[in-house]
Amino acid sequence: LAVLYSIIYLILNSLLPSNLYLANPAFAKEPFWKKALLNVGLFYNIYKRYTFLWLLSEVSCISFGISYVKNKDGSHHWRGFRNVKPWEWETMTSGQQIFSSMNCSVNIWMIVYILKRLEFLKLPLLSCLIMSIFASLLHGLYFGFYHTFFLQIPILYFDRIVHKFIRT
């Protein structure tokens, strides 16, 4: 699967090199719809690169045996360092699936060690905000991390509203 993602990335990167478009002054003069479609393609290509790297790291962890997990009931699996769920990402239908299909190990760790300790607040929105701040600091000081993690809150909020509206 990692090889497939690397091939897709290389093909898309030859067709849509990000440095060729975004830094080009002519790109700013393009119509909005063209810029929006191009940005979707560029994002998809960048995601393929990260998925390839995540899958490659999972394969190396499996090869060395450090991702082996034996459960209390006696069952076992090799997903101890699973960090991406490519099929869930490719077939997602909700905002929740976006965030649960990437950074899986970090998400589980954050839920177990951070979110559970914030239950005393009884304010889910404040707990999510604190988790976003912690996740941003954990990743570094680059503005893009803060932007991404804070956008996660409204995306999930509106996702719940839309799903509730659709079901009624």
Side-chain angles (χ1 to χ4, degrees):
L1 195 57
V3 173
L4 176 66
Y5 271 88
S6 68
I7 291 170
I8 293 171
Y9 167 72
L10 291 171
I11 292 169
L12 286 176
N13 198 42
S14 67
L15 298 173
L16 295 170
S18 60
N19 58 350
L20 209 93
Y21 290 102
L22 299 178
N24 191 348
F27 178 75
K29 296 176 184 171
E30 295 290 340
F32 174 76
W33 66 269
K34 191 172 184 180
K35 287 191 279 191
L37 285 176
L38 194 57
N39 277 324
V40 168
L42 291 172
F43 170 78
Y44 192 71
N45 190 29
I46 290 168
Y47 172 75
K48 294 295 179 212
R49 178 178 61 197
Y50 282 107
T51 304
F52 162 67
L53 293 173
W54 276 327
L55 290 171
L56 191 64
S57 67
E58 286 178 28
V59 166
S60 63
C61 290
I62 290 170
S63 298
F64 285 105
I66 60 175
S67 66
Y68 178 78
V69 176
K70 186 172 183 180
N71 298 329
K72 292 179 182 178
D73 64 356
S75 63
H76 58 87
H77 60 82
W78 292 89
R79 295 184 306 268
F81 287 107
R82 186 176 198 182
N83 214 15
V84 66
K85 298 175 186 172
W87 183 250
E88 187 175 332
W89 170 267
E90 300 290 347
T91 60
M92 67 184 162
T93 58
S94 70
Q96 179 62 42
Q97 287 175 325
I98 294 171
F99 302 112
S100 66
S101 64
M102 298 186 326
N103 284 331
C104 301
S105 301
V106 175
N107 289 342
I108 292 168
W109 185 87
M110 294 276 290
I111 289 169
V112 170
Y113 292 104
I114 306 295
L115 192 61
K116 296 287 184 191
R117 287 170 170 75
L118 296 173
E119 286 179 348
F120 74 93
L121 294 173
K122 306 252 191 280
L123 296 168
L125 192 59
L126 182 61
S127 297
C128 287
L129 184 65
I130 292 171
M131 269 187 49
S132 293
I133 292 169
F134 183 80
S136 300
L137 289 171
L138 186 70
H139 281 78
L141 298 176
Y142 177 62
F143 174 75
F145 294 126
Y146 294 90
H147 183 255
T148 302
F149 287 115
F150 288 117
L151 274 178
Q152 186 174 350
I153 297 169
I155 288 171
L156 292 175
Y157 179 74
F158 289 116
D159 184 52
R160 288 183 190 141
I161 291 172
V162 168
H163 278 283
K164 194 181 292 184
F165 180 74
I166 290 172
R167 289 185 188 129
T168 58

